[in-house]
Amino acid sequence: MAKITLVIDAMGGDRGPSIAVAALIRALQSFPETDFIVTGDEPRLKALLARESKDTAVDLSRVRIQHTSQIVQMDDKPGQCIRQKTDSSMRAAIDLVADGTAQGCVSAGNTGALMAMAYMYLKTLPGVLRPALITPVPNQHGKQGFLLDIGANPVCDAETLFQFGVMGSVLARELNGIENPKVALLNMGTEEIKGPDVVKQAAMLLKQSSFVNYSGFVEGSELFTGEADVIVCDGFTGNIALKSCEGMAKMVYEHFQRNLKTHWLSRGLAWLLYKRQKKSWAWLNPDQYNGASLVGLRGVVVKSHGNASANAFYSAIAHAITETQLNLPARIHNQVEKVLSEQH
Amino acid sequence: MAKITLVIDAMGGDRGPSIAVAALIRALQSFPETDFIVTGDEPRLKALLARESKDTAVDLSRVRIQHTSQIVQMDDKPGQCIRQKTDSSMRAAIDLVADGTAQGCVSAGNTGALMAMAYMYLKTLPGVLRPALITPVPNQHGKQGFLLDIGANPVCDAETLFQFGVMGSVLARELNGIENPKVALLNMGTEEIKGPDVVKQAAMLLKQSSFVNYSGFVEGSELFTGEADVIVCDGFTGNIALKSCEGMAKMVYEHFQRNLKTHWLSRGLAWLLYKRQKKSWAWLNPDQYNGASLVGLRGVVVKSHGNASANAFYSAIAHAITETQLNLPARIHNQVEKVLSEQH
């Protein structure tokens, strides 16, 4: 494996830098070929690094702290961050990838600001219209698919959706080892006449391309069935789909929990059942799906959930390292160039 | 209660007329003030009515069969149905409401065709831009909200979304008895700057109106929290949100079931737990939520799920009867007129 450098924006997220630093210490142990730069408040990060590494054998010389004085808040507006947060930990992370000091970065901060900064200062690959936020999605066969866009671009034209299909294919092939990944569009029905015009136009483009294995429309109910390896939609739709799933799961879980409180016997039965089934649910553990990638940029940018635990943040770091080692941006660039030459 | 007449399209849905007829026999017993017209294949319906009513005391003189020769198939295109399925059970049902013979109808048939026929032959109320498909949604407090549009209008302008908020308010007030229902827009974030322009424009219109208690944006994760009594979105978004929930629930349920098969002890524990919790889950029984209403039309039109059981179809009939007895179309008309006079 080639030596790589990854930047960690340690000040993003709801839970402060201790989460990022704890995850980093674990990553230092698992990924000996990776060096790290941590952006944020230097005195605080120094103290945290010393504390978290105390009982480990990690070599802190592999970590460099880059001091920044500002923090992008979760409710900051992206435009304001571009203008005013020029010495923020997030901006420094993006700049370090843009100037080639690092090959990738991870942030748990404000998604809109991260997207805006990456678009503005790291820039999209030649030919790529818009970067997209892509997330792995578990499916019932224990395999993994991808859903994009999940929030970077609320409204997309057909050409942009088509490119999302191309970029999603590259990820499914490179990260999941699927030879000829099936690409579908998320729609309100599987018949060709269904849905908004922009989705139908994107279907035409995907069908015409010899570089995409287009399999048609899927519905929201097929997000987890493994029907497709890559599911494409605009960022508004992807956000609504994922958050609706979250709401559904939460409603059922909370009702179940509330019920259990009513009697010791229910509690006991549920506990026994949980013990028996625990292992088989590991594939659904949300921690391992933490880390949505911003694809289509001239470097690796991974967004951790704002509320991530250290374990989940570690998963996001691991994703970023894998993407960096595969040189995913270059592979996406190659594929997009081929597709563009087919079109013109 | 005033005497009303309801039409049942008996030939729609995936499971044939026996479901509709079984539900009808139950409705004849529960709703003595309602007469019914059943549209479809007369010999077949006659036989089914005789069979299903055999051991009951229902008075079949309250049911009239209107013979039709055609059936709208689930994969027929709406436009073709308008032109070619002029003697279908669905078209006859809509026509009977349009000419005043009946006040409402129920169909489990092709949603697109039902929407197209209702729009074309029953027509919208004066001032209403588009009819919307609205569904009750359970929430964690054991109460009920409404979500619209869930598929009748894939793309909507801001004015149409605004009217959906007005119509949803009327339903929440009249059907759920909520004095001043909270109306929210489904969006990809709760901050005012988030989301597509059309959603932001609809927010402006809702905020300005004195006839709507607008409460802001909600995310997909808040569909079931009771945050709002009415949640408004375009039909594409509503369809994706609901079907994503369905997919999530199915994935978890099927994995749970598959796990249970592995050991008799798990099966036993789950069964005991189910017995203890069964009652408390009744509020989530999908049967009782069957029946989405097409609102904004000059009569009551209720769409049952295509795959509904007799119990679920019965729920759809009960919904239609309630809406008809309340004269919901007239109440929506009044409210829309008030809103229009405020705007001009």
Side-chain angles (χ1 to χ4, degrees):
Chain A
M1 289 291 167
K3 193 99 184 157
I4 57 167
T5 301
L6 199 75
V7 197
I8 313 282
D9 164 14
M11 310 306 282
D14 308 321
R15 296 166 69 175
S18 62
I19 295 288
V21 171
L24 168 62
I25 297 297
R26 228 186 108 192
L28 280 163
Q29 297 168 290
S30 327
F31 302 102
E33 299 293 328
T34 305
D35 285 346
F36 293 90
I37 305 172
V38 198
T39 59
D41 181 60
E42 188 165 15
R44 210 165 149 200
L45 291 177
K46 230 176 203 160
L48 280 169
L49 276 168
R51 195 186 77 189
E52 294 290 335
S53 63
K54 208 169 45 142
D55 300 320
T56 69
V58 298
D59 170 14
L60 284 185
S61 75
R62 287 166 53 209
V63 184
R64 175 161 76 80
I65 300 175
Q66 174 145 336
H67 179 74
T68 50
S69 63
Q70 293 178 304
I71 299 175
V72 170
Q73 303 296 338
M74 292 311 251
D75 55 355
D76 279 350
K77 296 189 184 172
Q80 281 178 351
C81 294
I82 293 286
R83 289 188 300 275
Q84 294 163 9
K85 298 279 170 99
T86 50
D87 191 37
S88 59
S89 58
M90 185 186 281
R91 172 68 185 274
I94 293 291
D95 284 348
L96 285 163
V97 183
D99 70 16
T101 308
Q103 290 78 52
C105 68
V106 179
S107 173
N110 181 323
T111 309
L114 185 65
M115 164 75 183
M117 286 183 181
Y119 185 65
M120 191 78 112
Y121 301 112
L122 180 54
K123 294 193 168 43
T124 50
L125 291 162
V128 170
L129 297 167
R130 298 285 301 169
L133 201 58
I134 183 168
T135 184
V137 173
N139 74 44
Q140 284 159 321
H141 312 293
K143 290 186 186 147
Q144 204 179 66
F146 284 103
L147 177 69
L148 78 166
D149 176 30
I150 59 163
N153 311 279
V155 180
C156 298
D157 60 18
E159 182 74 28
T160 302
L161 291 174
F162 166 68
Q163 286 200 348
F164 291 174
V166 173
M167 297 196 289
S169 285
V170 176
L171 265 75
R173 189 161 48 234
E174 304 299 339
L175 297 178
N176 293 354
I178 299 165
E179 189 67 49
N180 197 18
K182 285 202 276 181
V183 176
L185 284 161
L186 186 57
N187 200 353
M188 59 190 290
T190 53
E191 305 89 347
E192 283 195 14
I193 54 151
K194 283 281 173 75
D197 287 340
V198 62
V199 177
K200 287 186 256 186
Q201 286 155 11
M204 292 289 290
L205 294 173
L206 285 164
K207 208 188 281 177
Q208 281 159 14
S209 174
S210 58
F211 291 99
V212 180
N213 178 14
Y214 176 62
S215 68
F217 296 141
V218 294
E219 298 189 81
S221 51
E222 291 159 312
L223 283 176
F224 310 106
T225 57
E227 207 65 44
D229 302 303
V230 178
I231 298 177
V232 174
C233 58
D234 63 47
F236 180 76
T237 306
N239 179 288
I240 299 284
L242 278 189
K243 293 223 172 122
S244 297
C245 292
E246 183 189 326
M248 180 74 196
K250 224 172 142 190
M251 174 179 69
V252 170
Y253 176 76
E254 284 177 4
H255 185 76
F256 186 72
Q257 289 285 80
R258 220 175 306 130
N259 265 353
L260 285 185
K261 292 203 183 113
T262 55
H263 200 279
W264 63 268
L265 181 59
S266 298
R267 266 201 312 278
L269 291 171
W271 184 79
L272 285 170
L273 200 61
Y274 170 76
K275 288 296 262 187
R276 284 206 66 82
Q277 290 217 333
K278 195 177 167 193
K279 245 194 216 157
S280 86
W281 288 94
W283 64 285
L284 250 186
N285 176 4
D287 278 2
Q288 69 190 306
Y289 299 101
N290 185 42
S293 309
L294 265 173
V295 293
L297 295 163
R298 294 165 194 250
V300 169
V301 179
V302 168
K303 166 72 177 75
S304 162
H305 198 286
N307 196 26
S309 64
N311 276 342
F313 200 103
Y314 171 82
S315 287
I317 294 176
H319 280 310
I321 291 173
T322 306
E323 292 189 6
T324 307
Q325 279 172 339
L326 286 168
N327 204 353
L328 207 63
R331 289 172 196 254
I332 291 175
H333 181 206
N334 284 344
Q335 192 66 14
V336 169
E337 272 204 328
K338 279 191 214 159
V339 169
L340 288 175
S341 71
E342 180 187 49
Q343 287 181 317
H344 301 299
Chain B
M1 288 289 167
K3 192 97 183 160
I4 59 168
T5 302
L6 198 76
V7 198
I8 313 281
D9 164 13
M11 310 305 282
D14 308 320
R15 296 166 68 174
S18 61
I19 295 287
V21 171
L24 168 62
I25 297 296
R26 229 185 108 191
L28 281 163
Q29 296 168 291
S30 326
F31 303 102
E33 299 292 328
T34 305
D35 285 345
F36 294 89
I37 305 172
V38 198
T39 59
D41 181 60
E42 188 164 17
R44 209 164 150 202
L45 292 176
K46 229 176 204 160
L48 280 169
L49 276 168
R51 195 187 77 189
E52 294 289 335
S53 64
K54 209 168 46 142
D55 299 320
T56 69
V58 298
D59 171 13
L60 284 184
S61 74
R62 286 166 53 208
V63 184
R64 175 162 77 78
I65 301 175
Q66 174 144 337
H67 178 75
T68 51
S69 63
Q70 292 177 303
I71 299 176
V72 171
Q73 302 297 338
M74 292 311 251
D75 55 354
D76 279 351
K77 296 189 184 172
Q80 282 178 350
C81 294
I82 294 285
R83 289 188 300 275
Q84 295 162 9
K85 298 279 171 100
T86 50
D87 191 37
S88 59
S89 58
M90 185 185 281
R91 172 67 185 275
I94 293 290
D95 284 347
L96 284 163
V97 183
D99 70 14
T101 308
Q103 290 78 50
C105 68
V106 179
S107 174
N110 181 323
T111 310
L114 185 65
M115 164 75 182
M117 285 183 181
Y119 185 65
M120 192 80 112
Y121 302 111
L122 180 53
K123 295 189 166 44
T124 51
L125 290 162
V128 170
L129 296 167
R130 299 284 302 168
L133 200 58
I134 183 168
T135 184
V137 173
N139 75 44
Q140 284 160 318
H141 312 293
K143 290 186 186 148
Q144 204 179 66
F146 284 103
L147 176 69
L148 78 166
D149 176 29
I150 58 163
N153 310 279
V155 181
C156 298
D157 60 16
E159 181 75 27
T160 302
L161 291 174
F162 166 67
Q163 286 200 350
F164 290 174
V166 173
M167 296 196 290
S169 284
V170 176
L171 263 75
R173 190 160 49 235
E174 303 300 338
L175 297 178
N176 293 355
I178 300 165
E179 189 67 49
N180 197 19
K182 285 202 277 181
V183 177
L185 283 162
L186 186 57
N187 200 353
M188 58 190 290
T190 53
E191 305 90 347
E192 282 196 15
I193 55 152
K194 283 281 173 76
D197 288 340
V198 61
V199 176
K200 287 185 256 187
Q201 287 155 9
M204 291 288 291
L205 294 173
L206 285 164
K207 208 188 281 178
Q208 281 160 12
S209 175
S210 59
F211 291 100
V212 180
N213 177 15
Y214 176 62
S215 67
F217 295 141
V218 292
E219 298 190 81
S221 50
E222 291 159 312
L223 283 175
F224 310 105
T225 56
E227 207 65 42
D229 302 304
V230 178
I231 298 177
V232 174
C233 58
D234 64 47
F236 180 75
T237 307
N239 179 287
I240 300 285
L242 277 189
K243 294 225 171 118
S244 297
C245 293
E246 184 189 324
M248 179 74 196
K250 225 173 142 188
M251 175 179 68
V252 171
Y253 177 76
E254 284 177 5
H255 184 76
F256 187 72
Q257 290 285 80
R258 219 175 307 131
N259 266 352
L260 286 184
K261 291 200 183 116
T262 55
H263 200 279
W264 63 267
L265 181 59
S266 298
R267 267 201 311 277
L269 292 170
W271 184 80
L272 284 169
L273 200 61
Y274 171 75
K275 289 296 264 186
R276 285 205 66 81
Q277 289 216 335
K278 195 176 167 192
K279 243 193 215 159
S280 87
W281 288 94
W283 64 285
L284 250 186
N285 176 4
D287 279 3
Q288 68 191 305
Y289 299 100
N290 185 40
S293 309
L294 265 173
V295 293
L297 295 162
R298 293 165 195 251
V300 169
V301 179
V302 169
K303 166 72 177 74
S304 162
H305 197 286
N307 196 25
S309 64
N311 275 343
F313 200 103
Y314 170 83
S315 287
I317 295 176
H319 280 311
I321 290 173
T322 306
E323 292 189 6
T324 307
Q325 279 172 339
L326 286 168
N327 203 352
L328 206 63
R331 288 172 196 253
I332 290 175
H333 181 204
N334 283 344
Q335 192 67 14
V336 169
E337 273 204 327
K338 278 191 214 159
V339 169
L340 288 175
S341 71
E342 181 187 46
Q343 288 181 316
H344 301 298

